[in-house]
């Protein structure tokens, strides 16, 4: 699965979120994903199976079904539970 972590500039928080997502998926035993980090503007011009971003971007991605939001990009447990719920709901875990 192609997972993209998104923040405003595609640098700081999206890179941290990418590392958190990688760790969370590893703890879930879900491997083999292509995980990248992008800025919010890049997302519309590229393809991603899942977008992971902070709740700050809820209005930006409203209505998209392949987006999950987290409150704290460094909280592995929160990210793990969010990803687990998404993956289970979509038959991917």
């Amino acid at each position: 699965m192609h997972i993209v972590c998104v923040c405003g500039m595609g640098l700081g928080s999206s890179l941290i979120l990418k590392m958190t997502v990688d760790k969370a998926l590893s703890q879930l035993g879900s491997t083999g994903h292509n995980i990248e980090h992008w800025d919010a503007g890049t997302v519309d011009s590229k393809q991603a199976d899942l977008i992971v971003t902070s709740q700050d971007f809820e209005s930006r991605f409203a209505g998209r079904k392949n987006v999950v939001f987290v409150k704290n990009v460094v909280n592995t447990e929160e990210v793990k539970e969010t990803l687990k719920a998404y993956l289970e709901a979509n038959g991917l875990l």
Side-chain angles (χ1 to χ4, degrees):
M1 176 182 338
H2 185 212
I3 300 171
V4 177
C5 301
V6 175
C7 72
M9 298 294 285
L11 300 170
S13 57
S14 64
L15 177 57
I16 293 167
L17 182 55
K18 176 189 179 292
M19 293 185 294
T20 307
V21 166
D22 189 39
K23 184 176 180 180
L25 288 170
S26 179
Q27 290 178 3
L28 289 169
S30 183
T31 60
H33 302 288
N34 176 21
I35 307 170
E36 296 184 274
H37 62 101
W38 298 342
D39 63 278
T42 300
V43 173
D44 293 331
S45 65
K46 294 190 176 184
Q47 189 69 10
D49 298 318
L50 175 61
I51 298 167
V52 184
T53 191
S54 71
Q55 289 182 334
D56 298 334
F57 290 95
E58 281 189 279
S59 62
R60 169 79 168 79
F61 294 107
R64 291 183 72 159
K65 295 181 182 187
N66 67 330
V67 181
V68 295
F69 302 97
V70 296
K71 291 179 186 177
N72 185 341
V73 299
V74 298
N75 185 328
T76 304
E77 198 58 37
E78 176 195 356
V79 172
K80 182 170 70 172
E81 290 305 313
T82 301
L83 290 172
K84 181 179 179 185
Y86 178 87
L87 293 172
E88 286 179 343
N90 289 282
L92 301 168
L93 186 64

